[in-house]
């Protein structure tokens, strides 16, 4: 058991994080070049990739692949920061959904028609919604981290908090193998359904953006609930309970967004971050007020 714990802790140390970053960069470059090669081979009809034509008929769409690996690294960072800071952990969730939208833009860019009748074309409108959502979410994440910094300056470490951090480290260690298994299963399931399943010859490749991440956010909801329950070990403050409960609601809204599309998807994602910001803002104001009483 001790050896297993040592192995899991290995994935959460800073050296492994730095090495992982370098590895992901190299893998992303190789994957980008490989994707471009497939597009070229598809263009000259050397291979036929009709099922995934939206990803293999435009060189710009090749950016989708390296972004997928960057997202994997962001998932790892989320787990890495879980024991260190709850707000940074939530912020990483917001970063992930922002990167998912950016990745989706690179995928859908090959569907743009760029006609004078822009507002009547479905994919052109979706592209416009996503572009606006990226700017709004980027600004909202900036605000969230500013509020998080203000909270950290006022934080006081004691024995109960150290015990809570140790519990979160244990949860993060458990998440490492869970997410690895989930990622391999999601990739395997997509490959089977896309290329080998007779019943899935007509496959909706809009769902490619849901691969792994829909299940991933389900896991995060369960993790957030565990964090909320364990938080009672070091604090039963009303403001902390409401803050952590609000973060769970924010994560649930992100999860629900995977069942929507178009402008509704972007609105739900933006609102989930706005909700998280408001919860954190009110929490900080509440704590400041209590100290002055």
């Amino acid at each position: 058991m001790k050896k297993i714990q040592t192995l899991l802790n290995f994935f959460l140390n800073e050296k492994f994080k730095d090495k992982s970053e370098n590895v992901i960069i190299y893998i992303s470059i190789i994957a980008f070049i490989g994707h471009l090669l497939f597009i070229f081979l598809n263009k000259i009809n050397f291979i036929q990739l009709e099922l995934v034509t939206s990803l293999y008929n435009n060189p710009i769409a090749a950016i989708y692949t390296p972004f997928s690996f960057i997202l994997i690294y962001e998932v790892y960072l989320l787990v890495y920061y879980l024991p260190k800071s709850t707000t940074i952990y939530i912020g990483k969730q917001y970063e992930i959904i922002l990167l998912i939208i950016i990745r989706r833009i690179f995928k859908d860019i090959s569907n743009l028609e760029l006609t004078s009748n822009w507002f009547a074309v479905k994919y052109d409108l979706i592209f416009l919604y996503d572009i606006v959502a990226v700017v709004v979410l980027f600004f909202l994440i900036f605000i969230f981290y500013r509020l998080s910094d203000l909270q950290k300056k006022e934080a006081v470490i004691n024995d109960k908090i150290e015990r809570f951090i140790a519990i979160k480290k244990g949860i993060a260690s458990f998440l490492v193998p869970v997410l690895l298994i989930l990622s391999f299963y999601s990739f395997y399931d997509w490959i089977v359904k896309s290329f080998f399943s007779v019943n899935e010859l007509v496959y909706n490749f809009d769902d490619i953006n849901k691969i792994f991440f829909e299940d991933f956010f389900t896991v995060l909801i369960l993790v957030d609930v565990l964090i909320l329950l364990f938080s009672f070990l070091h604090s039963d403050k009303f403001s902390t309970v409401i803050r952590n409960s609000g973060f769970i609601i924010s994560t649930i809204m992100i999860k629900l967004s995977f069942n929507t599309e178009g402008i509704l998807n972007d609105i739900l994602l933006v609102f989930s971050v706005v909700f998280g910001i408001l919860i954190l803002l009110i929490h900080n104001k509440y704590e400041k007020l209590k100290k002055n009483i």
Side-chain angles (χ1 to χ4, degrees):
M1 187 68 182
K2 189 175 180 180
K3 289 183 178 180
I4 295 175
Q5 187 63 40
T6 302
L7 178 63
L8 293 177
N9 289 338
F10 170 76
F11 293 110
L12 299 177
N13 67 55
E14 190 148 357
K15 286 184 179 180
F16 182 82
K17 180 176 76 73
D18 294 339
K19 288 181 180 179
S20 298
E21 184 177 2
N22 292 330
V23 170
I24 286 294
I25 290 171
Y26 288 121
I27 291 176
S28 299
I29 293 171
I30 293 170
F32 179 58
I33 294 172
H35 195 152
L36 286 173
L37 179 61
F38 272 104
I39 291 173
F40 173 73
L41 295 175
N42 191 40
K43 285 284 187 182
I44 64 175
N45 295 320
F46 184 80
I47 56 175
Q48 295 294 326
L49 296 168
E50 295 178 1
L51 281 176
V52 284
T53 184
S54 62
L55 283 174
Y56 289 92
N57 62 2
N58 190 321
I60 297 177
I63 307 174
Y64 184 94
T65 300
F67 255 84
S68 296
F69 288 102
I70 292 171
L71 272 166
I72 291 173
Y73 183 66
E74 281 293 319
V75 168
Y76 165 72
L77 287 180
L78 182 147
V79 177
Y80 176 82
Y81 283 109
L82 172 57
K84 302 177 186 300
S85 169
T86 299
T87 49
I88 293 179
Y89 160 73
I90 296 297
K92 287 297 174 184
Q93 293 185 27
Y94 298 156
E95 287 181 18
I96 286 170
I97 62 171
L98 175 57
L99 286 172
I100 287 174
I101 295 177
I102 293 174
R103 186 182 67 162
R104 187 167 69 202
I105 288 172
F106 289 126
K107 171 182 170 290
D108 292 340
I109 206 165
S110 58
N111 295 317
L112 290 179
E113 296 185 17
L114 299 178
T115 63
S116 57
N117 200 19
W118 176 283
F119 293 100
V121 181
K122 175 185 175 182
Y123 286 109
D124 290 359
L125 277 176
I126 291 175
F127 178 79
L128 179 62
Y129 298 149
D130 285 347
I131 287 292
V132 173
V134 165
V135 176
V136 174
L137 284 171
F138 192 28
F139 178 69
L140 291 174
I141 291 170
F142 164 74
I143 295 175
F144 184 84
Y145 279 129
R146 284 294 299 268
L147 293 173
S148 176
D149 287 339
L150 291 175
Q151 184 188 36
K152 282 190 294 183
K153 289 177 182 177
E154 299 175 0
V156 178
I157 303 297
N158 55 41
D159 292 340
K160 288 185 177 180
I161 292 179
E162 287 182 352
R163 186 167 64 229
F164 181 53
I165 292 172
I167 291 171
K168 290 199 294 182
K169 190 172 183 179
I171 294 174
S173 297
F174 176 73
L175 268 179
V176 172
V178 170
L179 294 179
L180 281 173
I181 293 170
L182 181 60
S183 61
F184 283 119
Y185 172 77
S186 299
F187 182 71
Y188 168 78
D189 186 58
W190 176 71
I191 291 292
V192 170
K193 285 183 178 179
S194 303
F195 299 102
F196 301 105
S197 176
V198 176
N199 297 323
E200 297 285 345
L201 289 178
V202 180
Y203 189 76
N204 182 8
F205 274 88
D206 289 338
D207 290 341
I208 194 172
N209 292 303
K210 299 180 182 180
I211 293 172
F212 173 73
F213 288 101
E214 188 172 15
D215 294 328
F216 168 67
F217 276 99
T218 300
V219 173
L220 288 189
I221 292 170
L222 301 178
V223 169
D224 290 348
V225 172
L226 278 176
I227 292 173
L228 173 63
L229 295 174
F230 281 118
S231 68
F232 284 100
L233 293 175
H234 82 89
S235 175
D236 59 353
K237 289 194 299 184
F238 173 76
S239 59
T240 302
V241 172
I242 295 299
R243 186 201 66 173
N244 291 344
S245 299
F247 288 160
I248 294 173
I249 295 172
S250 180
T251 305
I252 290 173
M253 285 192 285
I254 294 173
K255 168 69 170 63
L256 291 175
S257 72
F258 287 98
N259 297 320
T260 62
E261 60 180 20
I263 191 170
L264 182 58
N265 175 268
D266 291 323
I267 289 174
L268 199 54
L269 290 175
V270 169
F271 186 71
S272 68
V273 181
V274 169
F275 185 80
I277 288 173
L278 289 175
I279 287 292
L280 185 57
L281 175 63
I282 297 170
H283 169 269
N284 291 353
K285 294 291 185 182
Y286 187 92
E287 287 294 295
K288 189 174 181 180
L289 179 65
K290 292 286 285 184
K291 286 182 179 180
N292 294 330
I293 294 177

